[in-house]
Amino acid sequence: MSNTRAAFIYLASASPRRRELLRQIGVAFEVLPAAPDEQAQALEATRAGESASAYVRRVALAKLDAALARMRELGLPQAPVLAADTTVASGGTIFGKPVDDADAARMLRALCGRTHRVLTAVAIAHGSRRRVVLSVSRVSFARLSARQIEAYVATGEPFDKAGGYAIQGAASAFARRIEGSYSGIMGLPLYETARLLRGLIDPPPVGGAQTTGRSR
């Protein structure tokens, strides 16, 4: 396989937030969705004794491997493949995506009035190159009343979000302090992502480009 620069990348994610962030740094991409039989919940299941950093790296690499297999299965043109995973951790607890209203409220009660970590691993492969980087940020939440938590959960925003909240949404009003990468908290740390893609795509990440407009 070739290591020459590509005109676009495959994004192994259906996340609208990651699409938006890639557009911000001018990366042309095509969405490479998961195979119909891919078990996302099994892929993202935690393992006993696994640290948050080990977990998020493992899941990002597993998503990358699944996407590479999908690319080969579909016979698609060669291009860099990017996968990512985000999780929230407080103490030794990993907070994934809530399964229902009660689970979302439980997560928010655990996070409010405390500082937690948001970890995003970004994995990329192209030809013989394969790399993964980790972004770790810290978010301090204000104390929240039961009424505030109930109202936020009712918006539906917590679902499909690690930790049960979206920093770019209404939950921004809960964050007293953020240390690290705002884009990483959203789901794709742009500084680290741009560095990974440098030398792999042409034009390089600069901002303002459009996607190819296709979804596989």
Side-chain angles (χ1 to χ4, degrees), residues 117-131:
R117 291 175 297 146
V118 181
L119 304 91
T120 296
V122 183
I124 191 162
H126 183 43
S128 61
R129 305 186 192 187
R130 183 182 176 95
R131 292 189 61 195

Side-chain angles (χ1 to χ4, degrees), residues 5-91:
R5 295 186 184 187
F8 69 98
I9 70 169
Y10 292 113
L11 173 62
S13 173
S15 165
R17 298 170 297 282
R18 292 189 177 120
R19 294 198 296 267
E20 173 190 342
L21 289 165
L22 281 176
R23 291 188 185 105
Q24 286 184 27
I25 58 172
V27 174
F29 63 89
E30 293 185 10
V31 175
L32 185 59
D37 59 349
E38 186 173 309
Q39 300 296 319
Q41 287 187 338
L43 197 69
E44 297 175 356
T46 58
R47 296 175 178 173
E50 189 174 36
S51 69
S53 59
Y55 165 79
V56 78
R57 284 176 182 268
R58 174 178 60 79
V59 175
L61 287 169
K63 290 180 177 180
L64 179 65
D65 287 338
L68 290 168
R70 179 79 167 151
M71 184 179 71
R72 290 190 293 268
E73 176 189 350
L74 295 173
L76 299 178
Q78 291 295 310
V81 178
L82 184 147
D85 190 67
T86 299
T87 198
V88 169
S90 180

Side-chain angles (χ1 to χ4, degrees), residues 129-145:
R129 305 186 192 187
R130 183 182 176 95
R131 292 189 61 195
V132 59
V133 296
L134 178 66
S135 168
V136 182
S137 301
R138 286 172 172 76
V139 180
S140 299
F141 266 12
R143 294 188 180 279
L144 303 174
S145 67

Side-chain angles (χ1 to χ4, degrees), residues 1-8 78-80 126-127 129 199-202:
M1 291 184 290
S2 172
N3 281 330
T4 57
R5 295 186 184 187
F8 69 98
Q78 291 295 310
H126 183 43
R129 305 186 192 187
L200 294 182
I201 58 172
D202 189 16

